[in-house]
Amino acid sequence: MARKTIAVVGATGAQGGGLVRAILADSSGEFAARALTRDVNGAKAKELATLGAGVVTVNVDDAESLRHAFQGAYGAFCVTFFWDHFSPEKELAEARAMAQAAKDTGVKHVIWSTLEDTRKWVPLSDARMPTLQGKYKVPHFDAKGEANGIFTELGVPTTFLNTSFYWDNLIHFGMGPKKGPDGRLAFVLPMGDKKLPGIAAEDIGRCAYGVFKRPDLVGRTVGIAGEHLTGAQMAAELGKALGQEVAHKAVTPEVYRGFGFPGADDLGNMFQFKADFEKDFCGARDLAFSRSLNPRLQTFAQWLGANKERIPLG
Ligand SMILES: NC(=O)c1ccc[n+]([C@@H]2O[C@H](COP(=O)([O-])OP(=O)(O)OC[C@H]3O[C@@H](n4cnc5c(N)ncnc54)[C@H](OP(=O)(O)O)[C@@H]3O)[C@@H](O)[C@H]2O)c1
């Protein structure tokens, strides 16, 4: 039986990498992986080739390279890279280029890795949080949500995959527990007693693999998470895994926005949105559904068991 090829944007990264590894790990599965990268000679691309992926050059800013990369594929996983450039307009242009390439090449099932357009809950006139970059509340969410409409308008057969906060942010995004002046570890989360849906980044790709096995999900919006946890619950799990007390420091979103690192205002608004609309945001990320897509879905404790040594404790 000829395998159906899934072209994976961001294959050397977190989401796409998880998907490529999930496809390759299922040796009796119906799909083959085409890993897309800007650098076919890079170490991560070579590693994926060794595991059995086809590796093809792409740049999501280059429409022709996208058409070439999607040609002949059954499926395409589409993701953008906000934190490389901080530009919602660039994300929108890249989403449009991917949607157009999928349409031009007749891809049968696209997954668009997206997030909510928070302006549907918090219009620009709502002063609870500042408007950023002129017309966004949470720029790295809003452009992705706005881009959903592009896939729909172009008639691309798409599953809209609402992702969750990666627990890997504790390793790579400076969000791990930090030592306070008293020498004790504190985990900062500006969400009070509200729950944050989180997920192991690797599990996003595994869930996406589950979506490709479900053509009935074309045209649907689905959300995934590994667990919904409060900051206090996350701090308690961190404490158990690290073998030392970790306090939960529930600063306000205003304080978080003022931390001053690049994107602090965007993330402060994001956490405030997730807290203020906890019911909608958690409700859109059903745990049992996520597990049905990916039976290996990890809990925070399981993820910590495998990754605690990688969390820098500043
Ligand atoms: N951190 C979170 O908690 C979180 C949660 C939900 C959603 N997100 C979203 O996830 C997105 C990023 O996904 P990720 O974490 O999987 O990314 P990532 O790990 O940073 O990997 C991105 C990969 O994409 C490739 N890439 C970058 N620019 C490219 C371009 N112009 N053309 C083609 N490929 C390019 C790079 O590979 P090469 O160098 O090999 O080309 C890189 O390895 C962001 O938009 C973010 O908002 C993040």
Side-chain angles (χ1 to χ4, degrees):
M1 184 189 70
R3 293 191 177 196
K4 296 187 270 191
T5 297
I6 308 288
V8 182
V9 175
T12 59
Q15 297 190 29
L19 172 57
V20 171
R21 284 184 286 276
I23 295 170
L24 298 177
D26 189 357
S27 54
S28 60
E30 60 184 309
F31 298 115
R34 183 185 292 166
L36 309 180
T37 172
R38 290 167 301 178
D39 179 11
V40 293
N41 294 312
K44 287 185 177 169
K46 284 190 170 157
E47 196 184 316
L48 294 175
T50 308
L51 291 174
V55 178
V56 171
T57 312
V58 83
N59 191 317
V60 294
D61 300 320
D62 174 352
E64 190 46 48
S65 84
L66 277 167
R67 268 193 293 277
H68 175 254
F70 287 180
Q71 198 67 54
Y74 162 84
F77 179 79
C78 297
V79 58
T80 45
F81 315 105
F82 182 85
W83 302 108
D84 286 3
H85 48 69
F86 294 77
S87 165
E89 277 75 25
K90 197 166 158 63
E91 278 200 300
L92 276 161
E94 292 175 347
R96 181 172 291 284
M98 288 189 273
Q100 188 66 54
K103 183 183 166 83
D104 293 349
T105 55
V107 171
K108 303 282 187 297
H109 191 172
V110 166
I111 294 178
W112 165 230
S113 176
T114 189
L115 289 163
E116 284 84 348
D117 183 340
T118 66
R119 296 167 297 184
K120 291 182 184 157
W121 286 262
V122 189
L124 297 186
S125 57
D126 189 327
R128 81 178 75 193
M129 60 180 74
T131 294
L132 303 176
Q133 301 198 37
K135 52 180 177 170
Y136 303 98
K137 287 297 188 184
V138 183
H140 81 283
F141 269 54
D142 297 349
K144 290 182 181 71
E146 188 176 328
N148 292 357
I150 299 171
F151 288 87
T152 305
E153 273 161 37
L154 291 176
V156 178
T158 306
T159 302
F160 301 92
L161 180 66
N162 278 323
T163 59
S164 285
F165 176 91
Y166 310 169
W167 292 320
D168 308 65
N169 292 336
L170 274 57
I171 302 173
H172 306 295
F173 223 74
M175 292 188 181
K178 302 271 178 303
K179 273 204 181 105
D182 58 359
R184 291 167 64 195
L185 287 173
F187 173 62
V188 172
L189 196 69
M191 291 180 61
D193 61 356
K194 299 294 195 287
K195 288 183 172 168
L196 172 67
I199 194 164
E202 188 74 9
D203 278 332
I204 296 179
R206 290 179 187 155
C207 288
Y209 181 52
V211 171
F212 279 123
K213 289 197 261 182
R214 298 259 321 257
D216 60 301
L217 294 177
V218 166
R220 298 230 343 242
T221 298
V222 300
I224 52 169
E227 264 188 300
H228 304 155
L229 296 172
T230 63
Q233 289 171 323
M234 290 182 76
E237 292 291 353
L238 278 160
K240 271 191 246 166
L242 298 170
Q244 57 180 307
E245 198 193 330
V246 177
H248 171 220
K249 196 170 166 193
V251 299
T252 64
E254 291 90 305
V255 166
Y256 198 95
R257 283 189 280 272
F259 279 163
F261 61 83
D265 49 0
D266 187 329
L267 292 174
N269 283 7
M270 174 192 80
F271 286 124
Q272 186 175 355
F273 168 72
K274 291 179 182 181
D276 286 2
F277 300 95
E278 180 196 35
K279 197 160 166 273
D280 286 358
F281 197 75
C282 289
R285 289 159 173 80
D286 184 74
L287 304 181
F289 171 74
S290 307
R291 191 167 300 281
S292 76
L293 294 174
N294 166 22
R296 295 171 63 192
L297 190 74
Q298 295 161 79
T299 61
F300 187 46
Q302 286 169 327
W303 179 85
L304 281 170
N307 292 284
K308 61 187 175 206
E309 279 91 12
R310 301 171 65 211
I311 301 173
L313 301 176

